[in-house]
Amino acid sequence: MIDIRIVCTLDAKPAAESLMRLLTAEGHVVRLCYGRGSLAHIGEAAAAREAIILIWSANAPFSQYMDEWARAAPAARLIEIALTAAHPQINRRAAVLDFSAWRGERGGRAWHTLNERLRAVARALEPAKPPPVRAALALGMLSAAAVTGAVIVRINDVADLQSPERVENVEQDMLAMDYQRDAGVGGAVRAIEPASIGDEGPISAPRYRAPPALPPLAQSRWAQTSAYEAPELRDATLLEMIVALNPAARSEEP
C-alpha cells in the first residue's frame, strides 16, 4: 500500500471522491487536491514518495494549474485518468487510462488497469533490499566448517603416519618390496641378450690367404715413347701467304 494524491478540477470532484473512497477501503492513504488552490501542494507532492493521479475532465484541459501539475509531477509516479476523450497531448511515459465508462464501481477493466499501474509505482518507490543477512551468515559458517574439517583431517593423517603401527606397516611393505625384487616379481626389468649356440668355446679369428701376384706387363711398342718436342710457332712469310692464295696450290695439298 502506498500514499496517493488525487488532483482534479471542480467538475471532476464527485468522481475523485468516489475514487478516493474505494482506494482508501483497499488500504491506501489518499489525499484530494482540486481547484486552483491545489497549486499550494505542488512542491510538496513533487518531493514526497507518493503516486499522483491526475483526472482529466471536461474543464481540465482549459485549466492552467492542471497543466502545471502534469509537468511538475515525476513521470515514474504520475498516473493520468481521462473521464472524457478531451485531454492534452503531451509527452508521457505511460498512456492515459480511459475512465469514460467508469461509474464509481470496484471492478472492470479500467479499475484493474489502475491497480496494475499503482503496483508498478509501488515497486518503483520501494527502497533497494539489502542482501539477506542469514544467507551470508550461513555461507560463512559453511566455509569455516569446511576449513576446520580439512585441518582436522590433515592433523589425523600426520598423527597416523607417526604412529608405531603405521611405521611397522611401512617397514613390512618395504621388506615385501625387497623380497619381490630379489625373487623376480615386480620391479624393473633388465633386458639381457641370450648366448648363441656356438659361444661355448673360444672364438678363433678367420685366416685369410694373400692374393696371387700379378704377372709383369709385357713390353710392347706402345710402351716405348720418345720425348715430346713442342712445335715451332712463327708467323707466315709473304711468299707463303701468296702461295696460300693460289687455288691450284691449295688443291695440291694432301
Side-chain angles (χ1 to χ4, degrees), residues 36-216:
R36 186 172 298 275
S38 62
L39 290 175
H41 307 281
I42 192 171
E44 175 187 354
R49 298 177 59 84
E50 61 183 11
I52 300 176
I53 299 178
L54 294 184
I55 300 179
W56 295 104
S57 58
N59 297 332
F62 308 101
S63 302
Q64 184 179 359
Y65 61 90
M66 290 293 294
D67 183 67
E68 293 182 10
W69 271 100
R71 299 183 184 278
R77 298 188 286 114
L78 178 62
I79 301 174
E80 297 178 272
I81 292 176
L83 300 180
T84 60
H87 56 79
Q89 302 296 329
I90 59 177
N91 293 329
R92 294 179 172 87
R93 182 174 181 178
V96 179
L97 303 182
D98 184 11
F99 267 64
S100 58
W102 187 68
R103 296 296 180 263
E105 72 279 0
R106 181 185 298 175
R109 180 178 180 181
W111 179 257
H112 292 307
T113 306
L114 176 61
N115 283 331
E116 292 178 1
R117 192 73 61 83
L118 288 174
R119 283 192 291 268
V121 175
R123 288 192 297 268
L125 294 177
E126 288 180 356
K129 296 182 179 180
V133 180
R134 293 183 178 180
L137 182 60
L139 182 60
M141 293 178 65
L142 289 176
S143 301
V147 173
T148 304
V151 172
I152 293 175
V153 170
R154 182 63 178 173
I155 293 175
N156 291 338
D157 290 344
V158 174
D160 187 28
L161 289 175
Q162 295 179 354
S163 62
E165 294 81 1
R166 182 61 176 172
V167 173
E168 182 178 358
N169 293 335
V170 172
E171 293 178 353
Q172 293 179 359
D173 294 342
M174 294 178 64
L175 291 175
M177 292 175 61
D178 294 339
Y179 170 77
Q180 291 178 359
R181 183 168 56 252
D182 296 339
V185 180
V189 178
R190 292 184 299 173
I192 302 176
E193 183 179 1
S196 301
I197 298 177
D199 290 347
E200 288 79 2
I203 301 175
S204 59
R207 297 179 180 181
Y208 296 96
R209 294 181 180 181
L214 297 176

